[in-house]
């Protein structure tokens, strides 16, 4: 996955995010530009171009957050997480340490995004969705000794550009969700998802194809598909959908 907005080095983008935020108790907070607070009642965003962080949100000092991103009440953004421009992180959502989130991503209330997840530009994560990070989850080893960070290896979920994860869906790492794919509410994804696929059920299975507009594609000739809203056309080859040039 390409981490670099507009083909710039990732380190350059982080450096551009600007100066520190002051937390409600006066401590220096995350390296973001704005100190404006949306408040617990969800006040107006106003004309600010910097990030807007609720007073009850927990944003780590080493997190980086882009302009026009809103972080709502009780949300958590942990150490070294990177959040791009124009994002929304809803109430009670958790962005774990070192998670990468691109631009214009919407993470709805109480979604859980665990390290080392990576979300591309324009991704939608529905309420209560979970991106896991442990292929063999255990609290203790076979002797009953509690496991610490050295006792397991995190694995991540990668969600590519424009994809949508429905409410309370679960992506069981390690999986890749393809570009503009649509995972239905409550689905449990245990295998990689192709670009533009519609996935439902437990375990999730493909039931069709979806356009960038979020509309189910309609079949035309053999192997040919069309978006009824935009007219965009696609060609299916060996179970992979390809956009046709306009």
């Amino acid at each position: 996955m390409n981490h670099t907005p507009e083909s710039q080095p990732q380190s350059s983008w982080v450096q551009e995010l600007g100066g520190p935020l002051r937390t409600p108790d006066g401590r220096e907070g995350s390296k973001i530009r704005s100190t404006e607070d949306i408040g617990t009642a969800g006040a107006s965003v106003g004309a600010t171009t910097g990030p807007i962080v609720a007073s009850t949100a927990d944003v780590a000092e080493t997190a980086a957050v882009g302009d026009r991103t809103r972080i709502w009440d009780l949300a958590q953004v942990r150490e070294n997480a990177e959040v791009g421009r124009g994002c929304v992180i809803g109430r009670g959502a958790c962005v774990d340490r070192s998670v990468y989130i691109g631009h214009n991503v919407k993470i709805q209330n109480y979604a859980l995004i665990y390290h080392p997840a990576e979300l591309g530009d324009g991704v939608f994560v529905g309420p209560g969705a979970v991106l896991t990070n442990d292929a063999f989850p255990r609290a203790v080893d076979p002797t009953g000794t509690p496991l610490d960070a050295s006792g397991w290896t995190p694995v991540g979920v990668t969600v590519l550009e424009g994809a949508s994860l429905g409410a309370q869906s679960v992506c069981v790492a390690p999986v890749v969700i393809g570009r503009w794919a649509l995972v239905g509410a409550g689905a449990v994804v245990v295998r990689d998802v192709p670009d533009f696929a519609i996935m439902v059920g437990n375990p999730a299975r493909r039931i069709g194809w979806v356009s960038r507009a979020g509309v189910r594609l309609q079949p035309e000739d053999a192997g040919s598909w069309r978006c009824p809203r935009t007219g965009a056309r696609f060609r299916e080859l060996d179970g992979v959908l390809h956009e046709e040039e306009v």
Side-chain angles (χ1 to χ4, degrees):
M1 176 179 177
N2 183 4
H3 285 193
T4 55
E6 298 148 7
S7 300
Q8 297 177 8
Q10 183 176 356
S11 58
S12 298
W13 174 60
V14 175
Q15 290 168 2
E16 292 171 1
L17 296 180
L21 170 75
R22 294 288 172 178
T23 58
D25 62 1
R27 293 180 294 107
E28 185 175 292
S30 63
K31 298 175 181 177
I32 59 181
R33 291 180 182 167
S34 176
T35 58
E36 185 171 349
D37 181 8
I38 59 176
T40 56
S44 173
V45 170
T48 182
T49 59
I52 303 172
V53 181
S55 60
T56 58
D58 179 8
V59 180
E61 295 179 0
T62 56
V65 183
D67 284 349
R68 303 184 309 281
T69 286
R70 287 176 280 176
I71 301 176
W72 290 86
D73 299 276
L74 305 177
Q76 182 183 33
V77 180
R78 291 195 59 197
E79 303 82 11
N80 301 314
E82 300 177 37
V83 182
R85 299 186 297 270
C87 298
V88 176
I89 299 178
R91 177 183 176 89
C94 175
V95 176
D96 199 10
R97 63 182 178 87
S98 301
V99 164
Y100 174 84
I101 296 173
H103 303 311
N104 303 315
V105 172
K106 182 176 285 187
I107 299 173
Q108 298 283 58
N109 294 2
Y110 300 105
L112 306 177
I113 317 295
Y114 288 110
H115 164 75
E118 300 179 343
L119 279 59
D121 294 349
V123 165
F124 175 90
V125 181
V130 180
L131 279 60
T132 73
N133 69 350
D134 192 349
F136 306 101
R138 282 288 187 263
V140 297
D141 68 16
T143 69
T145 302
L147 291 173
D148 58 18
S150 65
W152 65 290
T153 301
V155 289
V157 174
T158 299
V159 187
L160 300 182
E161 175 192 10
S164 295
L165 308 179
Q168 295 189 339
S169 59
V170 179
C171 296
V172 181
V175 292
V176 176
I177 310 300
R179 297 181 312 117
W180 303 98
L182 176 62
V183 175
V188 179
V189 179
V190 296
R191 293 184 295 273
D192 291 351
V193 172
D195 295 350
F196 303 104
I198 302 173
M199 307 292 291
V200 300
N202 181 6
R205 67 193 187 283
R206 187 178 68 80
I207 62 168
W209 300 109
V210 66
S211 72
R212 291 177 181 245
V215 178
R216 187 166 185 164
L217 299 182
Q218 300 298 317
E220 292 194 322
D221 301 330
S224 180
W225 300 81
R226 179 179 179 275
C227 173
R229 177 174 296 175
T230 68
R233 295 180 181 276
F234 301 78
R235 177 70 59 178
E236 183 180 351
L237 297 172
D238 299 324
V240 178
L241 202 69
H242 302 273
E243 292 179 278
E244 294 186 352
E245 297 291 335
V246 178

